[in-house]
Amino acid sequence: MTTHATPTLLWLRQDLRLSDHAALHAAAAEGPVLPVFILDDSDPWAPGGAARWWLHHSLKALGTALAGLGAPLLLLRGEARRVIPDLAAALGARAVHASRLYEPWARQRDADIAAALTARGIALQLHSGATLAEPHRLRTGQGQPYSVYTPFSRAMLALGEPPPPLPAPTALTGTKPPQEGLALEALRLLPRPPVPDWAARFAEYWTPGEATAQARLGEFAARHAATYDRDRDFPGQDLTSRLSPHLHWGEISPRSIWHAVAPAGLTGGRLTYLKEILWREFAYHVLWHSPQLPERPLRAEYEQFPWQPDEALLRAWQQGRTGYPIVDAGMRQLWQHGWMHNRVRMIVGSLLVKHMLQPWQNGAAWFWDTLVDADLAANAMNWQWVSGCGIDASPYFRIFNPILQGEKFDPEGRYVRHFVPELRNVPDGWLHRPWQAPDLVLRGAGVVLGRDYPHPIVDHDAGRARALAALSALKAVE
Ligand SMILES: Cc1cc2nc3c(=O)[nH]c(=O)nc-3n(C[C@H](O)[C@H](O)[C@H](O)COP(=O)(O)OP(=O)(O)OC[C@H]3O[C@@H](n4cnc5c(N)ncnc54)[C@H](O)[C@@H]3O)c2cc1C
């Protein structure tokens, strides 16, 4: 339905849902609504390739839902700094509503847009919803930002239960857009020839959109949350919630997750799970207070770290050809699914920055382009954690052993055999260290190292020693 009352613009960004959407509620309460999404490739952190695949399908789902409610989604491309004020003015809107973003560049952009709108007598009204608490809400007893996760998570838990999620609207009043929008295909978010369709298999693993996010949450809360603490570290079992891309694109709110999981009791697996959601909150807290997080080490001495950037090494890691089966399985899962299990993200990250001495920013950039859940705060904080250069990070001298990690967390080799099928017939005892297997065993498994599967790109002990030497060189500089 369309009316001629003063309309409101609803600017959708990383909040592609209808439930628990404060900005949508506020806009709808004011009268007719024009929902708009703008693809702005001038953003310094515009989505990478895999995230664009997700975005395409998420916009499709949301567009269908909004049209069904009576307020079709307008799709545009261009610089939001220019498009939003022009569109709001052409619409005759009295306000623009949006959910708050916390990336430093997005905060600056919103401030600029608010000023441009104010100059035209239009208000930009930002609403909470991407996090359980505003990232700047909590402070230590000394009034400082938290630099350690555990006290931060305790303070978050002490805030108690968040308010219940808002219901999805059952109808909206739409309004005629002052300009024609683009067809979804015209946003060109999917891989196109001559580039091969590297995302061809994503749809086997994912269905973007709010409906799937809700269904996945429901199933996880009912069947797996209680045993999450026991199961979460085993990549071959795949028993984590896999909600990360849904959360990144705002197809589900953290409040909805809390209220689906917590009522059965904040203990055991459910508590461990909500503490993971609090790691996400911590990442936003850290990014808020340290906007340099995506680019520069939070421990300033790491600016001097003697990295040894090497294109060939980086490419071998990206392509899952390091010779360490658990690492190669992870990197190939990333390529095939646009996602990687958390335990394996830590192992592949450690090999890259420690054994291979590659700058963490190069690993983070690859993740940014290949993860469907690529999230500036979470990606940067975790890469700094892996590299030992962040706050509350795993110390650099703690070096993951990719062989032992594989044997501990993929003891039956289910994960490695799936993603590294050339090692399928190597017995469990040698699967995570094929280069140490007797010739007879390898021959029996049909594997010739160096032909079917690489030798380790760097020897574990030598890589470890080199990483520690680099660290002591850094200490000498300090
Ligand atoms: C090097 C590295 C890079 C990472 N990059 C990203 C990223 O770009 N985007 C991203 O969402 N997560 C990132 N993570 C965190 C974590 O690996 C993923 O959130 C998790 O694997 C997603 O799977 P899930 O939804 O099944 O997680 P679950 O285990 O089911 O956890 C539930 C939710 O909690 C949050 N969460 C869990 N662990 C973390 C964590 N360590 N830091 C922040 N939030 C967390 C996520 O939102 C996740 O969806 C990274 C981790 C590492 C080690």
Side-chain angles (χ1 to χ4, degrees):
M1 185 172 80
T2 57
T3 78
H4 299 290
T6 310
T8 297
L9 196 59
L10 173 68
W11 180 18
L12 297 163
R13 293 107 66 99
Q14 290 172 29
D15 51 353
L16 306 181
R17 65 175 180 272
L18 300 176
S19 292
D20 199 25
H21 200 309
L24 170 60
H25 269 254
E30 287 180 10
V33 183
L34 176 60
V36 61
F37 180 90
I38 301 162
L39 183 67
D40 184 350
D41 280 321
S42 70
D43 291 344
W45 290 96
R52 281 170 186 262
W53 177 91
W54 190 282
L55 178 60
H56 175 97
H57 295 286
S58 190
L59 287 173
K60 190 172 193 173
L62 184 68
T64 306
L66 281 168
L69 290 181
L73 177 63
L74 179 68
L75 295 176
L76 296 174
R77 174 172 215 150
E79 278 187 50
R81 272 189 178 79
R82 190 183 46 74
V83 174
I84 284 291
D86 287 354
L87 179 65
L91 185 66
R94 79 181 123 202
V96 177
H97 290 272
S99 303
R100 233 174 239 115
L101 293 175
Y102 302 106
E103 289 81 0
W105 62 267
R107 284 164 61 191
Q108 182 57 53
R109 188 183 65 174
D110 284 354
D112 296 346
I113 290 174
L117 286 169
T118 308
R120 300 182 191 208
I122 306 168
L124 175 63
Q125 295 187 10
L126 297 175
H127 303 263
S128 308
T131 51
L132 290 168
E134 286 297 307
H136 46 82
R137 175 164 171 194
L138 294 178
R139 293 257 171 184
T140 64
Q142 289 73 44
Q144 297 300 313
Y146 282 92
S147 55
V148 181
Y149 165 78
T150 304
F152 173 84
S153 67
R154 255 190 244 122
M156 281 294 301
L157 289 169
L159 292 177
E161 188 176 286
L166 298 164
T170 49
L172 292 168
T173 306
T175 188
K176 189 173 167 1
Q179 69 184 93
E180 211 171 304
L182 296 169
L184 180 57
E185 281 63 33
L187 293 183
R188 299 179 165 192
L189 292 164
L190 300 178
R192 290 175 299 136
V195 176
D197 186 4
W198 44 263
R201 299 188 56 192
F202 283 12
E204 290 172 30
Y205 308 106
W206 302 105
T207 308
E210 183 173 11
T212 319
Q214 297 276 5
R216 196 180 275 277
L217 171 60
E219 183 181 328
F220 177 77
R223 297 189 47 204
H224 304 302
T227 49
Y228 176 81
D229 48 344
R230 186 193 69 195
D231 301 332
R232 67 180 165 147
D233 267 324
F234 297 93
Q237 294 184 22
D238 203 10
L239 290 172
T240 64
S241 70
R242 283 207 180 217
L243 282 171
S244 50
H246 299 285
L247 265 166
H248 171 75
W249 287 108
E251 295 171 359
I252 195 145
S253 73
R255 261 196 328 200
S256 302
I257 293 180
W258 181 286
H259 283 278
V261 171
L266 264 186
T267 52
R270 282 183 295 270
L271 179 59
T272 308
Y273 180 70
L274 288 177
K275 284 187 175 168
E276 294 301 318
I277 301 292
L278 299 185
W279 268 107
R280 177 175 178 273
E281 299 278 321
F282 187 55
Y284 280 85
H285 178 78
V286 175
L287 181 63
W288 180 275
H289 291 290
S290 305
Q292 74 275 28
L293 179 75
E295 279 115 18
R296 301 190 30 210
L298 296 190
R299 288 176 196 267
E301 67 270 22
Y302 277 83
E303 302 263 19
Q304 310 302 325
F305 194 86
W307 302 112
Q308 296 181 17
D310 181 318
E311 275 297 318
L313 285 183
L314 180 64
R315 203 158 313 122
W317 177 81
Q318 291 170 338
Q319 294 176 348
R321 291 188 290 104
T322 68
Y324 286 101
I326 190 80
V327 172
D328 294 339
M331 298 308 293
R332 297 183 198 185
Q333 179 181 35
L334 176 59
W335 189 250
Q336 284 174 33
H337 295 201
W339 184 89
M340 194 195 301
H341 187 278
N342 180 59
R343 166 63 44 184
V344 191
R345 291 188 203 203
M346 294 193 279
I347 302 170
V348 304
S350 175
L351 191 90
L352 185 76
V353 298
K354 296 182 180 173
H355 296 78
M356 296 167 74
L357 286 181
Q358 300 305 298
W360 61 269
Q361 291 93 335
N362 291 351
W366 182 248
F367 272 29
W368 183 259
D369 207 22
T370 53
L371 278 171
V372 287
D373 66 20
D375 181 274
L376 199 63
N379 196 38
M381 182 194 69
N382 280 288
W383 273 99
Q384 293 223 23
W385 184 91
V386 166
S387 310
C389 60
I391 49 177
D392 198 13
S394 168
Y396 187 87
F397 61 77
R398 214 171 278 156
I399 295 174
F400 275 41
N401 178 328
I403 308 157
L404 298 183
Q405 288 283 316
E407 289 175 346
K408 184 165 177 197
F409 296 111
D410 188 31
E412 289 151 21
R414 214 187 293 178
Y415 184 70
V416 162
R417 289 198 176 88
H418 183 83
F419 289 106
V420 190
E422 61 268 39
L423 298 180
R424 194 185 304 122
N425 296 323
V426 176
D428 289 357
W430 302 108
L431 185 62
H432 292 284
R433 48 177 93 223
W435 62 93
Q436 292 173 355
D439 284 347
L440 199 62
V441 169
L442 285 181
R443 224 174 299 135
V447 176
V448 176
L449 285 183
R451 185 193 74 184
D452 305 313
Y453 186 71
H455 292 280
I457 198 155
V458 45
D459 171 72
H460 168 62
D461 290 332
R464 187 170 186 281
R466 203 172 55 148
L468 292 174
L471 183 67
S472 43
L474 179 70
K475 295 253 180 257
V477 173
E478 261 178 67

